[in-house]
Amino acid sequence: MMNTRIWSTAGRPAAELAEVLHSLGFTSAAGGYELVSEGLRLEPGRSWWTLRQRVGDEDSPGAELLMSPGHPGLWKRVRFGDGIERLFALPARLLRTENAEQEEREGENLIGQTIQWALETAKGRVPEGWAPPEPGLLDSWFGREQLTVVNGGFLRQGDVITEPTQFALRFPIVPMLPPGLTPARRAWLRVLLEEAQNRWHLIRCGWLETPDGISAVLEVDLTGVPRALHEDLFVTSLEAVRWAVHWLGEPADWLADVTVASGLLAVCPSEKPTKGVP
Amino acid sequence: MKALTPSPVKPAALAGSRRGMLHFEARDVTGTHVIEARNVQPATPAGAVATALASRMALPPNVPWMMRNDSTGAVLEEEKPIGDQLQAGAKVVLSPKAHLG
């Protein structure tokens, strides 16, 4: 049988996608859609759907890339050209086929729910009526051993946070910053974390302050995620964060080791941003 | 020969080790390598900790390793969190996991 569906980069008929987005207030723009009132631009790419929002120049007060862990949803700050943007990225395959068809059968709209998730969490809010997955269901999606990353002598234990208003994966990359860590070393560590945040979608990095001290963490915050995406996005996120922990672990460990002497690391890294596109 | 038995969990002793990071001393069975393990997350399975310590000690990677609490002689259960089985400041011995006939 001939496939008569219209091709689109989103894997959905373009007209159908445009109709859904227009009903949410988006207007068509070159290469994507814009929601002018929120300053948002949506690009439904072949691999990733991205929502971008410009937050200001490098010198503006809001220019810090690393955020405090726990902000609901996938939003994070990344470098884009000479400036900084807020970015919400989602694997495009999750919005295709089975997930979307299941939701449509149930009279819901997955694209609409996903955009609503992004809009609500952009303001730091959790969509009304949202709840994290049930513990028993969550446990059926993965093995607990996947929360342990061993890479040679490097070892980290991650955690799944399921609270009524939070659903997140979190791995410490440096479990405890040593008290003697110099400002220059910490600045190098920050640069490494920013690099990771820029490099990988879904992953967010930050400093977590506890009564015991400060740790550097990686997280994927799925708070507010539509129910139809729960399992697929969780499984994808777990793989992504494990990969990032592998990638970051050894250099982060080395930078945080106060017994390592280095003339280079005694000097703060350049604060001038390097051009790069996430 | 005395059988190696898993170390029992001691709930009363756990509260302290669960709060913060775990620090302990580890050595291999020959005493050649001694490592001060710092900032070990208490929730980490003991088996994973043994694997990572063996790597740090450059011990053969193709051998499964286990840890024994030096003061009690109890073998740590590899799938249980290390913080449930060790107290801060403990000493452990890393041994190859082998069946001896």
Side-chain angles (χ1 to χ4, degrees):
Chain A
M1 180 185 289
M2 181 181 287
N3 183 356
T4 55
R5 296 191 111 189
I6 301 166
W7 179 87
S8 85
T9 55
R12 277 178 168 248
E16 181 192 332
L17 177 63
E19 185 183 331
V20 171
L21 291 172
H22 290 162
S23 72
L24 294 167
F26 283 82
T27 54
S28 298
Y33 300 86
E34 287 180 353
L35 186 61
V36 178
S37 60
E38 303 289 339
L40 287 173
R41 177 178 171 78
L42 168 67
E43 291 179 10
R46 183 179 290 275
S47 300
W48 292 86
W49 279 43
T50 57
L51 270 160
R52 297 177 182 277
Q53 188 178 41
R54 186 104 181 177
V55 294
D57 296 331
E58 198 62 32
D59 297 330
S60 71
E64 186 72 26
L65 278 197
L66 304 184
M67 299 155 63
S68 297
H71 184 92
L74 297 175
W75 286 102
K76 62 178 178 178
R77 295 182 182 135
V78 295
R79 295 199 191 285
F80 192 76
D82 291 332
I84 290 179
E85 287 185 331
R86 297 180 76 202
L87 174 70
F88 181 107
L90 203 60
R93 65 179 173 78
L94 300 187
L95 298 170
R96 295 185 189 130
T97 59
E98 294 87 2
N99 287 320
E101 286 168 10
Q102 179 192 338
E103 283 301 284
E104 282 161 12
R105 272 200 305 273
E106 293 170 8
E108 296 168 356
N109 179 317
L110 182 59
I111 302 287
Q113 287 184 358
T114 303
I115 298 295
Q116 207 58 41
W117 173 36
L119 293 177
E120 286 291 308
T121 52
K123 294 169 182 159
R125 297 196 299 244
V126 180
E128 200 173 328
W130 176 84
E134 294 295 320
L137 183 61
L138 178 62
D139 285 343
S140 71
W141 297 340
F142 74 112
R144 285 279 154 184
E145 70 280 359
Q146 290 177 270
L147 293 176
T148 306
V149 173
V150 185
N151 184 16
F154 175 82
L155 173 67
R156 291 294 180 267
Q157 179 67 30
D159 197 11
V160 183
I161 302 164
T162 45
E163 304 284 346
T165 57
Q166 194 179 20
F167 177 35
L169 275 160
R170 186 177 294 164
F171 276 77
I173 200 72
V174 180
M176 193 71 64
L177 294 189
L181 195 68
T182 63
R185 270 308 170 85
R186 183 162 164 164
W188 280 106
L189 194 53
R190 176 176 55 76
V191 168
L192 182 69
L193 296 177
E194 288 180 351
E195 171 82 15
Q197 186 160 291
N198 268 288
R199 182 180 285 257
W200 284 298
H201 286 324
L202 301 175
I203 307 294
R204 202 162 63 195
C205 305
W207 310 109
L208 183 66
E209 294 193 32
T210 68
D212 294 320
I214 299 172
S215 57
V217 299
L218 302 188
E219 69 173 9
V220 180
D221 195 305
L222 302 173
T223 307
V225 61
R227 186 171 47 84
L229 297 182
H230 271 178
E231 180 177 357
D232 282 348
L233 190 53
F234 176 82
V235 171
T236 302
S237 300
L238 181 55
E239 276 308 303
V241 75
R242 280 176 56 84
W243 182 257
V245 171
H246 269 284
W247 187 84
L248 267 183
E250 286 197 67
D253 235 13
W254 187 71
L255 286 172
D257 186 345
V258 293
T259 65
V260 172
S262 164
L264 171 66
L265 298 180
V267 182
C268 283
S270 167
E271 293 297 319
K272 191 176 178 185
T274 52
K275 289 196 176 186
V277 179
Chain B
M1 184 179 179
K2 188 179 176 184
L4 298 176
T5 54
S7 89
V9 177
K10 297 174 183 171
L14 301 180
S17 60
R18 280 302 237 168
R19 261 201 300 271
M21 297 295 161
L22 195 60
H23 305 259
F24 59 90
E25 183 185 287
R27 64 178 170 84
D28 70 341
V29 74
T30 66
T32 309
H33 305 279
V34 181
I35 283 180
E36 190 188 338
R38 285 174 294 174
N39 292 329
V40 177
Q41 295 168 258
T44 313
V49 178
T51 303
L53 285 172
S55 177
R56 292 247 165 150
M57 292 178 184
L59 298 173
N62 55 345
V63 174
W65 298 93
M66 65 180 185
M67 284 191 294
R68 184 166 50 78
N69 188 325
D70 211 15
S71 61
T72 65
V75 173
L76 306 194
E77 288 187 68
E78 62 181 32
E79 290 185 3
K80 282 193 173 176
I82 193 166
D84 288 357
Q85 305 181 72
L86 276 189
Q87 289 180 291
K91 293 184 178 181
V92 299
V93 178
L94 204 59
S95 314
K97 200 193 294 179
H99 294 284
L100 303 175

